[in-house]
Amino acid sequence: MSGTPRRINTDRSLGMPSPGGSASGGGVPPRPPVPPQADAPQEDDGQSFFRPQPGDAVPRPRQEPAHSAPDQDPPRGKEPPRHSSGGKKGGGKKKKRRRSPLWLPLAVVLGCMALIGCGVIYAVNYVSRIQESIRPESDAPSIVEEIQTLEEYKGDVVNILVCGIDYEEGRGYGADGSNDGMTDMILYCQFDIKNGALRMLQIPRNTLVTTENRTVTLSSGKTYRASNYQINSVALSNGGSIAALAEVIYDQYKLPVDYYVSINMQALTEVVDNFGGIEVYIPHDMEYNGSYLAKGYRNLDGASAEFFVRNRHGKGYENSDIDRLNMQRYFYAALFKRARSMGIQDILNQMPIIFNNYIETDMDLVTLGKLAVSFMRIDSANIMIAQTPVFSGGVPYIGATETSAGYSCVVPDAGSIAELLNTYFRTYTGPVSEEELNLVTDDWPHGSISTSANIQFVGQLDKESDDAILEGDTDVQGAVTTDGQPAGAGQQPAA
């Protein structure tokens, strides 16, 4: 996948069909409304979001009052006495009432229709431009039907693979020192729409997916390359295909994938700055290589946010990548809180920047909109996040040669992973045993103690933020808790 963000041609215009049909005569009465027909299923063409739904009010045609014949005066009642001008009898001539020209109402109606039409054209064109900007390249592989949610459960649950592509300068993955980006953030998101819940699974980037010939062999016999034997190289090693990564995850973890979203991690700084910063709870002091963040509830600019989510060194990072995953959860909680506080206009203002440069997905805008609405209805107490347990101790480097020490890696703990997934992620598929998983646990040496799944709910993370705010441990002006209490409200008054 190229590191250069795709841009769209904004000079294209929306082609408009020529108006058809003939104008009806002014003397023909309006046609009576057609009786409603029985509901019939319609094929969803991606535009159903904009169609009137059953039960919507249908505007009735305006009934114009009948006009009197132009040469016939309307009937009058008794008129008041007329006064003569200048004392002369007979007075002046009766002044005729000036009537509006017949074309004026028609012009007003046509003008209104033109304004509405321009608005609709702009909206459609705007949506089309955004849809074009987030759509993958035409030759990009798509998610195969075999790994998607079973048909009987579609509409109840949607499973999305979210990947952060790292194009950080100075990290050369290719033999020529180039960096086309690896999926250093892998987040499996399960939207349980039926039960109003969101479950997220973090997969460590250096998880082994193969131990032989840098090739992943699926249960079906199909193969994919993995240049460093680890999960974060699968997409890059197969032409930047997130669909290939989705197949590997389905085969090894038995998790269905319906859609994917890929995010350019270089976007983080610009996006956060465009939002005016983001308020995050930092659970402990962070310091490394000249960068420093103090514990507490802070407003981070783009550069600080990048350090917050990328850092994996220094005090509090004894487990390196695993500790970084735990820290990133506070950033996710901050994003969710910010999304709920934003107005629709704020979101629309950010869409062209974010979608045009940094995000690709195989979802259409209607699906994105429906998922956004579903997400806004989910309570933070029902948003769960966990990580796949792995063996990190006693694991030798893989791929060592005479000139290279090989790659540091972790080994997935199949037993603990099976228990985690059966408990939280298999509501619609039923349990899957450890033996049915296609993981490489027994193919590479490892210790006996694996990392924790560290199951947390966003409501718990919100409480940590709220406690810091109530104690006054914040530099955010006007900071309030999730239930609206001001900063310092929990402090004991001085004696």
Side-chain angles (χ1 to χ4, degrees):
M1 182 179 293
S2 173
T4 304
R6 292 192 308 108
R7 300 189 178 276
I8 59 173
N9 181 6
T10 56
D11 294 331
R12 287 179 289 178
S13 60
L14 182 66
M16 293 184 59
S18 301
S22 58
S24 59
V28 179
R31 183 177 299 175
V34 179
Q37 302 295 324
D39 292 337
Q42 295 183 354
E43 182 180 354
D44 188 0
D45 58 1
Q47 301 298 321
S48 58
F49 184 85
F50 302 99
R51 291 198 188 98
Q53 300 299 314
D56 288 351
V58 179
R60 297 183 178 180
R62 183 178 175 183
Q63 300 284 348
E64 296 291 344
H67 291 281
S68 302
D71 58 348
Q72 182 178 1
D73 290 333
R76 298 178 183 174
K78 186 176 181 181
E79 297 186 45
R82 299 182 180 179
H83 297 277
S84 62
S85 173
K88 294 182 180 179
K89 291 184 179 181
K93 280 187 177 181
K94 174 186 172 183
K95 196 171 184 179
K96 290 187 178 180
R97 182 181 298 173
R98 186 174 181 181
R99 296 182 178 178
S100 299
L102 293 176
W103 54 264
L104 185 58
L106 179 61
V108 172
V109 171
L110 291 177
C112 292
M113 291 177 63
L115 288 175
I116 295 173
C118 288
V120 170
I121 291 171
Y122 174 81
V124 171
N125 196 25
Y126 179 78
V127 168
S128 297
R129 283 187 286 123
I130 294 177
Q131 181 71 66
E132 176 66 22
S133 68
I134 65 177
R135 185 179 294 118
E137 300 292 343
S138 58
D139 58 348
S142 57
I143 301 292
V144 296
E145 186 176 355
E146 288 77 14
I147 73 170
Q148 294 179 9
T149 299
L150 294 175
E151 192 68 33
E152 59 191 294
Y153 300 121
K154 287 186 176 181
D156 294 336
V157 63
V158 179
N159 298 293
I160 303 169
L161 180 61
V162 181
C163 297
I165 312 297
D166 186 7
Y167 298 102
E168 184 180 1
E169 296 179 6
R171 300 184 66 184
Y173 297 125
D176 59 354
S178 64
N179 175 16
D180 288 329
M182 288 196 179
T183 52
D184 276 358
M185 183 199 79
I186 301 175
L187 187 68
Y188 180 83
C189 298
Q190 185 176 87
F191 277 87
D192 188 346
I193 299 172
K194 181 178 180 180
N195 296 309
L198 170 61
R199 294 177 282 271
M200 298 181 291
L201 180 69
Q202 297 171 298
I203 302 178
R205 69 187 181 108
N206 56 342
T207 300
L208 274 183
V209 289
T210 184
T211 60
E212 298 180 359
N213 303 321
R214 305 175 191 262
T215 302
V216 183
T217 302
L218 306 185
S219 303
S220 63
K222 190 175 183 179
T223 60
Y224 284 113
R225 293 284 294 166
S227 61
N228 66 357
Y229 301 88
Q230 301 164 35
I231 196 168
N232 67 342
S233 70
V234 172
L236 178 61
S237 303
N238 295 277
S241 171
I242 304 297
L245 175 59
E247 283 197 65
V248 170
I249 290 175
Y250 174 78
D251 183 74
Q252 297 198 351
Y253 295 86
K254 299 299 183 283
L255 290 170
V257 180
D258 300 305
Y259 303 102
Y260 71 82
V261 176
S262 65
I263 305 168
N264 181 344
M265 296 299 286
Q266 296 301 102
L268 186 62
T269 299
E270 182 177 346
V271 169
V272 170
D273 284 338
N274 283 330
F275 277 123
I278 187 165
E279 298 171 11
V280 180
Y281 174 65
I282 304 171
H284 59 73
D285 292 350
M286 298 174 58
E287 185 173 10
Y288 179 73
N289 200 24
S291 298
Y292 174 77
L293 292 175
K295 176 182 180 295
Y297 188 74
R298 313 294 178 200
N299 186 70
L300 305 184
D301 62 12
S304 298
E306 183 178 22
F307 172 65
F308 181 77
V309 300
R310 281 184 181 272
N311 183 56
R312 56 189 178 97
H313 301 285
K315 186 178 180 179
Y317 288 89
E318 288 74 17
N319 292 314
S320 188
D321 279 293
I322 300 300
D323 291 324
R324 176 167 64 177
L325 291 180
N326 294 333
M327 188 66 78
Q328 288 174 350
R329 298 178 178 197
Y330 292 94
F331 189 76
Y332 298 147
L335 286 176
F336 296 156
K337 183 178 180 180
R338 182 60 184 271
R340 285 185 167 88
S341 68
M342 290 178 65
I344 189 64
Q345 189 60 49
D346 293 330
I347 296 175
L348 288 175
N349 289 340
Q350 297 301 321
M351 282 174 65
I353 298 174
I354 299 173
F355 284 172
N356 192 33
N357 297 322
Y358 304 112
I359 292 180
E360 283 188 357
T361 179
D362 55 350
M363 280 185 283
D364 58 75
L365 284 180
V366 174
T367 302
L368 282 170
K370 290 178 179 178
L371 287 177
V373 171
S374 297
F375 170 75
M376 297 298 282
R377 294 172 178 169
I378 299 176
D379 189 273
S380 61
N382 293 326
I383 302 177
M384 186 273 282
I385 186 166
Q387 61 190 236
T388 54
V390 294
F391 296 104
S392 57
V395 179
Y397 279 31
I398 192 169
T401 64
E402 293 180 358
T403 58
S404 171
Y407 305 95
S408 172
C409 59
V410 295
V411 177
D413 180 355
S416 298
I417 290 174
E419 182 180 359
L420 170 67
L421 300 184
N422 288 340
T423 303
Y424 293 98
F425 290 88
R426 304 209 191 276
T427 304
Y428 297 94
T429 59
V432 175
S433 69
E434 173 184 349
E435 293 73 25
E436 292 176 278
L437 301 178
N438 194 24
L439 298 169
V440 298
T441 307
D442 297 331
D443 299 338
W444 197 250
H446 57 76
S448 59
I449 301 176
S450 64
T451 59
S452 167
N454 194 17
I455 299 165
Q456 289 180 301
F457 289 84
V458 171
Q460 296 173 270
L461 303 176
D462 286 343
K463 187 178 185 307
E464 291 187 53
S465 298
D466 289 348
D467 289 344
I469 294 171
L470 292 174
E471 293 168 6
D473 188 8
T474 179
D475 59 2
V476 179
Q477 186 176 5
V480 295
T481 63
T482 51
D483 60 355
Q485 297 185 69
Q491 292 178 313
Q492 295 294 329

